[in-house]
């Protein structure tokens, strides 16, 4: 199954999920979606076995350190259906689905998990390791990304295990490599792209964004 056969279906599911009639596709073929302070991208790879990638570069220009890799491993214990890793000075949260077995439920779940988790954990990572999120916190709408209540406060995202459990033990040093460039193919994406935003409530108009 080739990507061009699957893509129209993916676009339609995204329109329904976001509640929009039209979506913008970037020059590299990715669809950018804003989730609070996080930018999420959806793209389809080509080839004999195309995959749908849903990913978010949560931090940019961040150095790889043992402490950062330990934290990403900790998040990988908490987050279900997606994983965090460091690649080319970015911290990325990503999941992937085989295109030949896509359905609306699996696409919706991938979007909800990545959008909610990226928006939930990006500020925590920024506070600990510095660098920048895709969007400033003062631009963040009050509504949480799908999977989180509209309280204006960050809560445990959809698809994550409760963080109230004991903190997982520190991984042996050889395990640090599991968070280092361990994710699906996710080329660096420009945060200057036009991001779609779910139509869940009225928000102040922002130039260049839905």
């Amino acid at each position: 199954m080739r990507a061009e056969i699957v893509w129209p279906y993916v676009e339609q599911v995204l329109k329904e999920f976001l509640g929009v009639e039209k979506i913008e596709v970037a020059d590299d073929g990715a669809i950018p979606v804003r989730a609070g302070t996080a930018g999420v991208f959806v793209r389809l790879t080509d080839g004999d076995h195309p995959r749908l990638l849903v990913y978010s570069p949560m931090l940019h220009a961040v150095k790889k350190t043992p402490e950062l890799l330990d934290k990403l491993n900790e998040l990988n214990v908490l987050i279900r259906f997606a994983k965090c890793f460091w690649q080319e000075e970015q911290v990325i949260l990503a999941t992937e689905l085989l295109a030949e077995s896509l359905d609306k439920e699996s696409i919706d779940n991938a979007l909800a998990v990545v959008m909610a988790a990226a928006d939930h954990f990006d500020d925590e990572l920024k506070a600990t390791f510095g660098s920048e999120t895709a969007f400033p916190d003062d631009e963040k709408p009050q509504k949480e990304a799908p999977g989180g209540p509209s309280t204006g406060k960050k809560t445990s995202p959809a698809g994550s295990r409760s963080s109230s459990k004991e903190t997982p033990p520190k991984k042996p040093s050889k395990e640090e490599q599991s968070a280092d460039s361990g994710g699906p193919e996710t080329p660096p994406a420009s945060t200057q792209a036009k991001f779609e935003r779910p139509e869940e409530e009225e928000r102040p108009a922002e130039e260049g964004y839905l």
Side-chain angles (χ1 to χ4, degrees):
M1 182 178 295
R2 297 192 62 79
E4 59 265 23
I5 300 176
V6 182
W7 190 241
Y9 174 70
V10 172
E11 286 188 333
Q12 182 58 40
V13 172
L14 260 64
K15 290 176 185 178
E16 295 175 3
F17 181 86
L18 297 171
V20 298
E21 296 182 357
K22 183 180 179 181
I23 54 178
E24 299 291 334
V25 181
D27 292 340
D28 64 355
I31 296 175
V33 180
R34 181 172 177 179
T37 53
V40 177
F41 296 86
V42 181
R43 69 189 301 266
L44 199 62
T45 67
D46 209 340
D48 294 335
H49 300 285
R51 295 165 295 141
L52 182 70
L53 307 179
V54 182
Y55 59 97
S56 174
M58 294 192 293
L59 290 184
H60 303 266
V62 60
K63 298 297 183 182
K64 179 176 67 174
T65 64
E67 293 77 16
L68 175 62
L69 298 183
D70 282 345
K71 181 61 179 179
L72 299 187
N73 280 333
E74 180 182 320
L75 294 183
N76 285 335
V77 173
L78 294 174
I79 301 172
R80 297 175 178 175
F81 310 118
K83 59 182 175 180
C84 298
F85 56 95
W86 181 95
Q87 178 178 290
E88 297 180 355
E89 296 193 341
Q90 296 182 101
V91 171
I92 298 173
L93 175 69
T95 189
E96 58 183 335
L97 304 169
L98 280 175
E100 60 192 37
S101 59
L102 286 176
D103 56 30
K104 185 179 187 301
E105 182 179 3
S106 63
I107 297 173
D108 285 354
N109 181 70
L111 287 165
V113 167
V114 174
M115 290 174 69
D119 186 37
H120 181 83
F121 291 114
D122 60 349
D123 287 338
E124 177 183 339
L125 291 169
K126 176 183 176 180
T128 304
F129 301 102
S131 189
E132 294 296 330
T133 56
F135 298 94
D137 190 61
D138 56 6
E139 291 184 5
K140 181 180 178 180
Q142 290 298 309
K143 190 81 170 178
E144 289 288 321
S150 56
T151 60
K153 298 180 180 180
K154 295 204 173 188
T155 57
S156 296
S160 68
R161 300 176 177 87
S162 173
S163 59
S164 62
K165 297 180 181 180
E166 285 186 15
T167 301
K170 184 176 180 180
K171 306 287 184 180
S173 58
K174 66 179 181 180
E175 294 294 329
E176 293 176 359
Q177 299 306 315
S178 65
D180 182 4
S181 300
E185 175 189 352
T186 50
S190 171
T191 58
Q192 300 303 316
K194 183 176 181 181
F195 283 79
E196 305 288 351
R197 184 183 292 161
E199 279 191 2
E200 296 180 349
E201 65 175 13
E202 292 186 1
R203 301 182 177 90
E206 296 185 33
E207 183 177 356
Y209 297 95
L210 296 182

